[in-house]
Amino acid sequence: MISPRSLLIAALLAIPVLAYLLLSIFALYDTGRLTWLAWLAPVCGGAAWVIGKLWRPAASEVPAEHRLEAARHWTPRDERAAEIVREYQLRLESTKPAELVDPAFYQRQVESLALDVTKVYYPQAPDPFSSLTVPEVLAAARLACDDIEQWMLTSVPGSKLLTIEQWKSLQSAPDLVRKLSNVGWAAAILFNPANLVRYVASQWTWGPVTQQLRGELLAVFYLRVIRQVGFYLIEMNSGRLRGGADVYRATFDVAPGVVANAARAFPDTPPVTIAIIGQVSSGKSSLINHLTGGSEAKVDILPQTRQVSRHRFELDEGHLDLTLLDTPGYGEAGANREQLAQIEIALQTVDAALLVMDGHSPAREADRKTLIELHDRYAGNANLKLPPVVGILSHVDLLEPPLEWSPPYDWRAPRRPKEQSIQEAVEYVREVFGKQLRDVVPACLSHEEGRQWGIVEEVIPAVVSLLDEAATVALLRSYEKRLDANHWRALAGQLARTGKQFVQTWLEERLPPRPGPPPSRAERSKEAPAD
């Protein structure tokens, strides 16, 4: 919880205190060593003061353990909201220590942060809060309070005994210590005037250092509160809390981004699905044949499409079952309206995509245009995460020199002309697409004997690298689908329970009460008047 810098400073300040407690003052005085041992406090205080001056924390950086990091399931809109939370954490530099012990200060900060984060999701709304539901707000408050409570109980020493009054007294604690210390120094100076020098040295060292330690302890609490509250404000505004805190916890507490967790959260979650997109003759079909071993036939056609076919692909010796969607190839002008619509339908059901491109052709405008249009259309649903895309550069055997082909090729550290050509082709594609592609790998998808290269060396590792993020995309989509499906079911259940309570109350008011059992002999004897 506390930085190594503060621990070292605190240790230096605690050494003389422990020395005084462990050694008898009487024994030290009796041996005549009390005078030189008294210098231990100012010496350690001076060392702590020097370290505090030289080892300064970065003013514009929040410690890693308190920094709000992007969650794997966050969308670009969520990441923009996270920047606002980080800005509030950086406001600590301009916050006074007295404010950090004032509960009203935290209330104002949370209200301001909530408004700024909500504006990211509802920028046009005159009152952003009016778009939120009551269960979402209650779930966010509950989750944030639960997290801060657990952190206090597990990470803050003595938190079980810390009262509000004691928390507020942290502001005045150094003043009390300083007053008690001054009384002790006054007695020491009267006993030995030479202690005046040590008193001055102590005031120049211990005072500033204790103030720094107090400020850092209060700062830890502030950073943690802003981090946890900000995180759940993002989850609330994204709509992921509309199913309640319990449903959210059951899903995302076991979803760090691996495939197995998606299956545990939703047993009916389909296998990871990967779309194969690209121009005509780019090598899409060849890639599917190589991945499926050429023996796996087409499974079926994706509903609502005429050209998107599904294939099965087993990875890791059958332990992981993937689905490949072969989308319609488009021309040099890019995908037309019908092709784009079918590719978009495919991308709405996939968790990742492979963009296959002809490596010996420099024309990339059609692929770039198709990706931009798909990205713009997908951005219309900001609650979902855009599937990651990896570029597969095919036909690299036709690169200069075209007659040379003797794989394998170490294109990342090229020494041969063909390796140099492959590296230049990959770097060109990366420059054209930028962050639209997670990675670009080369391959030769020819069916001629001895010419295949890159399937096992490059393509399979690229597919494996997508699985974590693809599982997060699948989990988020399944979660949203489940919340939408349960909406009407939950409403029907609420109406049924309300109707049952209404009928029960109406019957109790309208029907006469049932006669009870006749009183027993003992009860009648008690009710009989005494003689």
Side-chain angles (χ1 to χ4, degrees), residues 329-341:
Y330 46 85
E332 295 182 357
N336 58 36
R337 181 174 300 179
E338 181 181 357
Q339 292 171 337
L340 193 63

Side-chain angles (χ1 to χ4, degrees), residues 251-252 255 261-262 265-266 269 470-480:
T251 304
F252 292 97
N261 283 340
F266 300 109
T269 299
T472 305
V473 174
L475 176 63
L476 189 57
R477 187 176 59 252
S478 300
Y479 180 69
E480 292 287 332

Side-chain angles (χ1 to χ4, degrees), residues 493-511:
Q494 292 170 346
L495 293 175
R497 285 190 295 271
T498 302
K500 181 178 179 181
Q501 293 175 356
F502 175 79
V503 172
Q504 183 178 358
T505 302
W506 185 85
L507 292 176
E508 290 177 353
E509 292 179 353
R510 297 296 187 276
L511 298 179

Side-chain angles (χ1 to χ4, degrees), residues 373-384 386:
E373 292 180 358
L374 291 173
H375 185 276
D376 292 342
R377 291 193 181 190
Y378 208 92
N381 191 346
N383 288 340
L384 297 180
L386 183 68

Side-chain angles (χ1 to χ4, degrees), residues 64-343:
E65 63 269 23
H66 305 298
R67 189 183 307 131
L68 179 62
E69 300 292 349
R72 303 192 67 141
H73 62 272
W74 277 0
T75 65
R77 186 176 60 174
D78 298 332
E79 294 177 2
R80 292 197 302 271
E83 291 297 327
I84 297 177
V85 179
R86 298 186 189 104
E87 291 176 3
Y88 270 76
Q89 288 186 306
L90 293 177
R91 292 184 183 182
L92 179 65
E93 293 298 320
S94 58
T95 303
K96 298 179 181 179
E99 294 178 313
L100 296 178
V101 295
D102 183 8
F105 167 75
Y106 290 93
Q107 180 180 353
R108 293 191 299 268
Q109 287 292 99
V110 169
E111 291 176 353
S112 176
L113 175 62
L115 180 61
D116 289 343
V117 169
T118 306
K119 286 181 179 178
V120 175
Y121 296 83
Y122 308 100
Q124 305 299 329
D127 180 15
F129 293 129
S130 61
S131 301
L132 300 172
T133 64
V134 174
E136 287 177 318
V137 176
L138 294 176
R142 171 186 165 188
L143 290 168
C145 290
D146 285 349
D147 282 6
I148 296 173
E149 174 200 2
Q150 290 300 315
W151 172 76
M152 287 282 292
L153 292 175
T154 58
S155 302
V156 180
S159 57
K160 294 182 179 180
L161 304 176
L162 183 64
T163 64
I164 297 297
E165 182 179 359
Q166 293 169 341
W167 172 259
K168 292 181 178 180
S169 68
L170 288 176
Q171 178 185 355
S172 57
D175 296 333
L176 177 62
V177 173
R178 185 175 63 253
K179 292 178 181 179
L180 295 176
S181 177
N182 289 339
V183 173
W185 277 111
I189 293 172
L190 289 176
F191 178 76
N192 185 1
N195 288 327
L196 180 61
V197 178
R198 290 194 291 270
Y199 168 75
V200 175
S202 176
Q203 294 302 304
W204 278 90
T205 56
W206 281 67
V209 169
T210 54
Q211 292 288 343
Q212 288 181 11
L213 291 178
R214 180 199 65 172
E216 187 161 339
L217 288 173
L218 295 175
V220 166
F221 182 77
Y222 171 82
L223 293 175
R224 178 64 61 162
V225 169
I226 296 299
R227 172 191 168 184
Q228 298 307 116
V229 171
F231 178 85
Y232 289 113
L233 285 174
I234 293 174
E235 299 299 282
M236 175 185 70
N237 284 280
S238 67
R240 288 186 284 270
L241 297 185
R242 64 184 185 274
D246 292 335
V247 174
Y248 175 84
R249 285 285 196 199
T251 304
F252 292 97
D253 273 4
V254 293
V258 295
V259 177
N261 283 340
R264 284 201 301 269
F266 300 109
D268 57 344
T269 299
V272 172
T273 303
I274 301 176
I276 311 296
I277 59 178
Q279 298 186 49
V280 176
S281 302
S282 62
K284 297 190 296 86
S285 299
S286 297
L287 176 62
I288 292 177
N289 289 336
H290 281 296
L291 292 178
T292 59
S295 59
E296 185 64 48
K298 183 189 304 182
V299 177
D300 60 3
I301 299 294
L302 191 69
Q304 300 179 343
T305 69
R306 292 185 299 173
Q307 302 180 34
V308 181
S309 58
R310 285 193 281 210
H311 305 259
R312 295 185 61 186
F313 169 43
E314 292 184 353
L315 190 62
D316 191 18
E317 298 181 354
H319 291 89
L320 186 58
D321 189 13
L322 306 179
T323 300
L324 301 178
L325 296 185
D326 186 9
T327 62
Y330 46 85
E332 295 182 357
N336 58 36
R337 181 174 300 179
E338 181 181 357
Q339 292 171 337
L340 193 63
Q342 296 198 43
I343 296 175

